[in-house]
Structure formats: structure tokens, C-alpha cells
Amino acid sequence: MPQHAAKRGKSPQGTRPFNDDGVHSNPVVDERATFQEVVEARFRRRDFLRGVSAVAAGVGVSRIGGWDALAQDSSLTFKELPHGNDERFHVAEGYEQTVLIRWGDPVEGGAAPFDPMRQTVGAQLKQFGYNNDFIGYLPLPAGSKSSDHGLLVINHEYTNTDLMFPGLPEKDFNNVLSREQVDVEMAAHGLSVVEVKKEGGKWTVVPTSRYARRITASTTEMRVAGPAAGHDRLKTSADPTGTRVVGTLNNCAGGITQWGTVMTAEENFNGYFSGDGANTKEAANHKRYGLPKVSWYGWHRYHDRLVVTKEPNEPNRYGWMVEFDPYDPLSVPVKRTAMGRFKHEGANTIINKDGRVVAYSGDDERFDYLYKFISDRRFDPDNRAANKDILDSGTLFVARFDADGTLTWLPLVWGAGPLTPENGFDSQADVLIEARRAGDLLGATPMDRPEDVEPSPMMGTVFVILTNNTSRSKDKVDGPNPRANNKHGHVVELVPPGSGADSDHAALKFRWNILLLAGNPKNPEDGAKYHPEVTEDGWLSCPDNCAVDSRGRLWIATDGAPSAAGFADGLWGTDTVGNGRALTRHFLRTPRGSELCGPFFTPDDKTLFVAVQHPGDEKGSTFEKPTTRWPDFSASMPPRPSVVAITKVNGGVIGS
Ligand code: FEO
Ligand code: CA
Ligand code: CA
Ligand code: CA
């Protein structure tokens, strides 16, 4: 999601404030005590440099004393790309970029050729959607480790209406959209599944694949499962059962499960709804989830279910993690309510050492929370079907960070602690539908916008990307969110008991520390912290998506660097233990106006797939006069969100 959308001056409609609108919806933030002392306690230089993981994993500990002198020991050997901001996509010298698929390219058989001047619903339903975000690569054949043949599953998070359609007015364009245009937007949301192959070192999309599939906001029927399925608060006039939802909204990041399914996250679902629901029974719930009175889109003008005065329960059917099987093109996606309802950035699973599945997920809102889910049942590596509904029963937890470096996972279980009828929770379904309010009552720690949360199977630690929070005032800083006016964001590392593959992700107490504080290390006002040898191009701003490669290195994609730091968004890699810990290195950068999403590696680490989202989305940019026409650079083609495959010239592992 772009950081600067609210600054494009297209008010009130056309402005999509997303999560950076200067407000938040967490009422407890202003009531909590402050933790200034935590900052000092957690920021002794020694603690910062070591990282608890290094100690826990027994890696690099003996060399920490001499770390500064050994900074050149980063395992990442590519020549860094300079900071910059122009119309093109750049990757470090020695690497190749292949634009694999673009908005409008065919996905399903029979897709019409893309014609941006005459877009139709029928065409878009079979074409690649807009604003690619999450990318997952799943090998073919299923269950193999193939790194040159597989499925790509790609989220289409949202649409930039004014960059998508010709001839719109600069302001209030949502009010003039035709029904056809609105339905094109709905068809451009959702996901795409495409089959991809590497032949002769070059990736291509297989043109007619039996796996090819579009999932959309308007056409794909989904099942609701878990404790909230069929609950009264999920029932609508179109679905009196509360178990069938047509469509998914604002699919941001996600993850691939160990049983070969995809988890896709419904993030800013609130923005699609419209109307003043103050007199509905869901008013407080809608407020806590930030539903606007005037939608960020024009869809409600043609779709009554998006008007909260008419269908107050419809918003309760979004904000979930959705799981589906991309190997079966007829599979019905399932909304997994046991994992809670919030603005899921994504979810990443890991198989705990006892066999249970643990999923980590962040709620991307200023001052909202970090969660994890632990399945009741154990993963069965020998029977894929047995894992099919494993995410329907288990326990959701929310994180409380303490000053002494302890992280406590608090269970969201109906009847426990404050989660009782006295507080308006009459069942586990209520707790899950209002997970945010449950977290408020349990005393969870308000964070600086949790984006991707990704465990490192090799190291056993978990990286929590916190993108920024300029609303955090000096009296609200705490250990895991140590900076006021946090415009550059940071990365927190969670450390379960044990180490490496023996780490206990199901434990209820972890340790935590900070991997890095983004910003310019040469600018004291930023209060940035990295490895001391980070270069002038190696510092970053507004971390968002991430990927951990099979060597345990963390790759951080950014969203918002142009406005916060003055250079294009892109991707930075770093070691997470040893001498190169927190020594971020700049690997690629995106065309102007875009953010980088979806970094995902093939199992051999020799291909990196990335998604360029909303190219040309900046002030003064329009369909007719965009600030970039990447990737086509044709006068008849607007900028197109696209997926890019990165490989090393002559092969080899990305980054080294
Ligand atoms: Fe869709 Fe939080 O980024
Ligand atoms: Ca973001
Ligand atoms: Ca994101
Ligand atoms: Ca990720």
C-alpha cells in the first residue's frame, strides 16, 4: 500500500488514505502508561549488536567483539546499486530482469488482448489483475523442489482508478465511474495463478495451462470455516447461512504453507465500504476497524452490500486469512476465521518441532498488534489431505512486549480473562470477529504498523517488519517501538526458546530484540541503527514485505522511501547473524511511484520473483500523463503493475 496516497490531493474521493492517514483506531493507545526507560534498557549498544539470535543460535558469538573490523564479512557480495529515483527498474550489476507478466496480460484461456482504452469486465476477468503484491512460487510437480517449473500465485491488492482508466476528472472520479468500470476494478482485484517455466535460463508464462486461474472480488465464491462460520454476525441478505462469501478484498501479502496451499491476506477491506453506520448494531466494531463514511472506491454506488446501513454484517465477512489450493483450479478458497479478523498484512506458517502449525501475522495499522496462531492438530508430512483444514482449530494469540526483553503471547480464548459476556463477547466467534478489541482488553502492545512477519526456518527466529508510525509521540515510545515520529520504520526480531530447527514456536514466552532501525545512519535526527559499515546506499526506509532465503538471509522490500527518504523503493538484503548482521545492502530499485512487493525465492535461491506495485502513482501523474510508462514505454500503454524475475547472469545464487 502506498504511503503517499493521501498526499496526492485528490480529496475527498480518489484519496485512499490506507493506513497512513494520520489517524488510528486503537482507543487504548492514549490510555496506556509510557515506557521511556525501556528504550535505554533495550538499547545498550552491546545488546543491539549481538542480537539475541546470535547468542541463541551460537553463531558468530565469539567474533562479536571484533565485529566492526569484520564488517566486510557480509555473505552478500553483489555490488550495491546507488539510491535513485527514475522511470526504470534497476537491479545490481551482473543480474538480469525479465518482466514476466503485466496487468492485462492473459491468464485464463480465451483472454482478450489488453486494450487500456476499451477495458471490459469480460476481458479483465481472464487477464492479469492490477497492483500485484504477494508472490508465492509452488514447484511443479507438486511436492517436488523444482526451481525451474512451478506455479506463481499473485495477489492483486487494489486498483489505482485514476491511473487505470482514461479520461477521468482529477477529483471525485469515483462518482463518475460507470458500472462497467467499477466491475472492471472488482475483476482486477483478487489473485492470479499462472504456470511458469525456466528454459535456456529465461522465465516465461506457460500460455495454456490447466492451472491458470483468476480469483476476483466479484466472481469467486468462498467458504467460511472455523469458529465464526455461520455466526449471526456473518449473515447477510445474500447469504443467510453466514458461510458463503463472494470474493476477497485487498489481498496484500500472504504465504505458502508446508502442505502446498496459499494463504492470502485481506488487509484494508474497510475502504471498500460506505455509509454512516452509527445507528447499526455493528457501529463500534466498524469504528475499531476504521470503516470510512465515504468509501475510498466507487463500488458501493452499484453494489448495495458495500453500504453498511443496508448490510451492516458485510464487513464482518472480510479481514480474514484466505487459504486455497492452487494445484486444484476448481478448489474453493476458504476464509479461516480461527486466525482472527484484522487487517492481515499476510501470514507465514512454520511447522513447530512438535508438529503443530504456527502462523505469524501482523495487523497493519498504526498502533495495532502482532498475532500468532497455533493449530491444535499436528502437520502430517505424508498425507497432504490430512492438513486440509488444520487451520480451522487452534488458538490465536496476541503479543505483549515487555521492557526486559520478554515477549508474552496472550490467548484470545472466549471466557478467559476479560473476553467474557460482560465485555460483549458471547462466543469464540465474537472474539475472532473483534480480535482487535480482544487485543485491547488483553493488554497487547500497540506497534508501528506490522507488515510482513516471517520466520527463518534455519535460524529459528522471526522477523517482524514495522513500516513506520509518524503518529507515535515521545510519551508513547516503548521497547519494540523506540522512536517518536517513526517515519522510517524498523525490524524487530523474535527469539523463541531453543535454537534453529529446535526452536519452540509454540512457546508462550519468547525473547525479542531489534534487528535494525531504518533511516539515514549519518543523520543523528533519524536515530537509525544498523551494522556500522552500512553504506550510503545501504540504508533504507519504510520496510514492508520481506523474504528469508534458504541461507537465512533477510531481504527487505520497502514502501514509502520516496517521501520519507527521497529515493525509490526497492530491495535490500542482509545477513541476520554473524559478522554481516544488520549490514543491509541495496540490491534493486523500482520505477518512480511504485513500491516493491512480493519478494519470493525459488527453492534453489537462483531466481527471485518481485512485484512492482502502482508504478507512476505519485502527485501529478495521470493515465494520460503518467510519470513513468514502465514496463512498456509505449505512448499507447499506461504504466502496468508487473511481476519481474531476477536471475544472475550465467546462473548462480541471488546475492552471492
Ligand atoms: Fe498492503 Fe500493509 O501493505
Ligand atoms: Ca506498506
Ligand atoms: Ca505491504
Ligand atoms: Ca514475505
Side-chain angles (χ1 to χ4, degrees):
M1 273 290 171
Q3 299 296 299
H4 52 275
K7 295 177 191 137
R8 295 182 62 194
K10 297 185 177 177
S11 179
Q13 295 186 52
T15 295
R16 306 241 162 108
F18 299 121
N19 308 333
D20 195 36
D21 55 0
V23 297
H24 63 85
S25 59
N26 188 340
V28 305
V29 166
D30 300 324
E31 299 158 11
R32 291 265 171 89
T34 66
F35 301 93
Q36 185 62 48
E37 73 284 359
V38 173
V39 184
E40 283 78 37
R42 293 300 303 159
F43 272 82
R44 286 167 303 166
R45 179 175 162 82
R46 183 176 161 79
D47 276 0
F48 170 74
L49 288 178
R50 289 172 69 135
V52 181
S53 69
V55 178
V59 179
V61 174
S62 62
R63 303 177 75 181
I64 280 167
W67 197 16
D68 288 11
L70 294 167
Q72 69 276 23
D73 284 358
S74 170
S75 71
L76 295 158
T77 56
F78 60 86
K79 186 178 167 204
E80 282 192 276
L81 197 67
H83 286 155
N85 195 9
D86 61 37
E87 294 176 48
R88 294 183 179 270
F89 181 103
H90 300 268
V91 63
E93 207 176 288
Y95 290 83
E96 278 181 289
Q97 48 170 301
T98 304
V99 174
L100 200 53
I101 190 163
R102 305 160 295 185
W103 166 47
D105 283 344
V107 172
E108 292 190 357
F114 182 54
D115 182 349
M117 300 305 287
R118 278 169 292 276
Q119 299 174 49
T120 66
V121 182
Q124 182 65 75
L125 284 171
K126 294 178 176 228
Q127 295 166 339
F128 195 65
Y130 206 83
N131 274 346
N132 30 219
D133 195 304
F134 172 72
I135 300 172
Y137 171 88
L138 297 100
L140 282 170
S144 76
K145 290 262 186 238
S146 173
S147 288
D148 54 15
H149 186 202
L151 300 176
L152 282 190
V153 178
I154 300 127
N155 282 355
H156 301 296
E157 188 186 23
Y158 70 104
T159 42
N160 288 87
T161 315
D162 52 339
L163 292 175
M164 211 176 154
F165 298 112
L168 292 180
E170 201 180 317
K171 285 189 177 172
D172 299 340
F173 46 76
N174 286 337
N175 288 339
V176 304
L177 293 176
S178 66
R179 167 82 192 236
E180 182 82 5
Q181 286 173 315
V182 161
D183 290 354
V184 167
E185 285 195 277
M186 294 179 89
H189 275 61
L191 296 99
S192 290
V193 182
V194 292
E195 183 178 344
V196 292
K197 243 184 179 157
K198 187 167 78 169
E199 284 169 324
K202 187 97 175 161
W203 283 95
T204 52
V205 174
V206 175
T208 49
S209 166
R210 73 176 197 86
Y211 301 105
R213 179 177 189 184
R214 280 300 324 279
I215 290 171
T216 78
S218 50
T219 56
T220 310
E221 187 163 304
M222 313 207 164
R223 183 165 68 86
V224 183
H231 191 275
D232 281 349
R233 296 177 74 182
L234 265 62
K235 292 175 182 169
T236 63
S237 47
D239 172 30
T241 72
T243 60
R244 316 292 301 183
V245 180
V246 175
T248 181
L249 288 175
N250 209 264
N251 301 75
C252 188
I256 300 295
T257 66
Q258 289 71 14
W259 50 99
T261 61
V262 174
M263 304 291 307
T264 178
E266 298 183 326
E267 194 195 25
N268 292 299
F269 64 92
N270 56 320
Y272 299 82
F273 292 92
S274 212
D276 183 354
N279 294 321
T280 72
K281 61 186 174 43
E282 294 289 344
N285 172 24
H286 292 344
K287 187 172 177 203
R288 183 66 181 86
Y289 286 82
L291 267 74
K293 285 184 184 155
V294 179
S295 171
W296 307 341
Y297 300 83
W299 301 7
H300 61 284
R301 295 171 47 231
Y302 303 107
H303 297 276
D304 279 357
R305 68 184 172 107
L306 299 175
V307 179
V308 294
T309 47
K310 293 179 179 161
E311 291 289 355
N313 286 343
E314 187 73 7
N316 290 339
R317 293 147 64 84
Y318 297 91
W320 304 104
M321 288 306 308
V322 182
E323 182 182 10
F324 81 102
D325 179 359
Y327 291 109
D328 174 4
L330 298 177
S331 61
V332 175
V334 184
K335 302 203 178 195
R336 301 288 183 198
T337 65
M339 299 174 76
R341 174 175 170 266
F342 45 92
K343 290 188 184 180
H344 283 277
E345 170 71 19
N348 284 290
T349 53
I350 192 162
I351 307 300
N352 198 43
K353 60 179 184 175
D354 62 7
R356 286 181 291 171
V357 179
V358 177
Y360 294 94
S361 189
D363 183 351
D364 181 5
E365 189 90 65
R366 293 168 185 223
F367 302 112
D368 259 292
Y369 306 134
L370 171 69
Y371 297 80
K372 81 169 174 182
F373 172 83
I374 306 176
S375 69
D376 286 340
R377 287 195 290 124
R378 291 173 210 290
F379 167 68
D380 185 341
D382 302 318
N383 181 0
R384 184 169 189 247
N387 305 311
K388 194 162 63 90
D389 295 319
I390 198 167
L391 298 174
D392 281 343
S393 55
T395 307
L396 183 67
F397 297 83
V398 66
R400 190 189 75 213
F401 293 80
D402 284 315
D404 63 358
T406 307
L407 166 57
T408 304
W409 293 102
L410 308 161
L412 276 74
V413 172
W414 180 63
L419 308 182
T420 58
E422 285 162 1
N423 286 316
F425 297 103
D426 289 327
S427 65
Q428 182 63 19
D430 283 335
V431 171
L432 295 167
I433 292 166
E434 295 186 77
R436 281 184 168 181
R437 192 166 69 85
D440 299 344
L441 292 169
L442 289 168
T445 301
M447 306 296 286
D448 286 349
R449 296 189 52 201
E451 299 251 28
D452 222 349
V453 184
E454 197 141 334
S456 167
M458 186 182 179
M459 305 303 175
T461 55
V462 182
F463 298 102
V464 182
I465 311 288
L466 297 152
T467 200
N468 57 41
N469 182 358
T470 51
S471 296
R472 190 174 289 276
S473 54
K474 274 189 188 143
D475 62 335
K476 296 295 178 204
V477 297
D478 61 15
N481 305 280
R483 288 185 294 185
N485 186 30
N486 178 13
K487 69 174 187 168
H488 293 298
H490 58 289
V491 180
V492 168
E493 182 180 41
L494 313 183
V495 186
S499 67
D502 267 342
S503 300
D504 184 7
H505 291 274
L508 300 187
K509 295 264 187 204
F510 283 19
R511 304 283 299 165
W512 63 269
N513 58 261
I514 287 185
L515 179 70
L516 63 86
L517 297 171
N520 184 350
K522 292 269 156 50
N523 182 2
E525 273 176 30
D526 284 2
K529 285 188 189 258
Y530 303 84
H531 186 290
E533 297 296 316
V534 74
T535 71
E536 68 177 316
D537 298 307
W539 68 272
L540 58 94
S541 178
C542 303
D544 184 328
N545 288 152
C546 71
V548 178
D549 68 23
S550 61
R551 288 155 176 78
R553 301 181 298 201
L554 179 67
W555 296 78
I556 302 168
T558 68
D559 167 21
S563 53
F567 50 79
D569 283 315
L571 189 72
W572 283 256
T574 178
D575 291 332
T576 57
V577 293
N579 299 313
R581 179 177 160 84
L583 178 47
T584 48
R585 308 195 71 236
H586 188 200
F587 183 63
L588 65 79
R589 71 174 201 249
T590 57
R592 52 187 308 153
S594 59
E595 69 173 274
L596 190 78
C597 298
F600 204 94
F601 290 92
T602 48
D604 64 2
D605 288 337
K606 291 183 177 175
T607 300
L608 168 66
F609 297 104
V610 296
V612 174
Q613 198 189 59
H614 57 80
D617 179 16
E618 55 189 335
K619 196 170 166 53
S621 190
T622 62
F623 180 93
E624 283 75 19
K625 281 195 171 173
T627 53
T628 176
R629 288 191 186 272
W630 184 88
D632 303 280
F633 295 107
S634 156
S636 60
M637 201 52 84
R640 295 207 267 175
S642 306
V643 170
V644 181
I646 307 289
T647 48
K648 200 169 183 179
V649 176
N650 300 324
V653 167
I654 301 288
S656 52

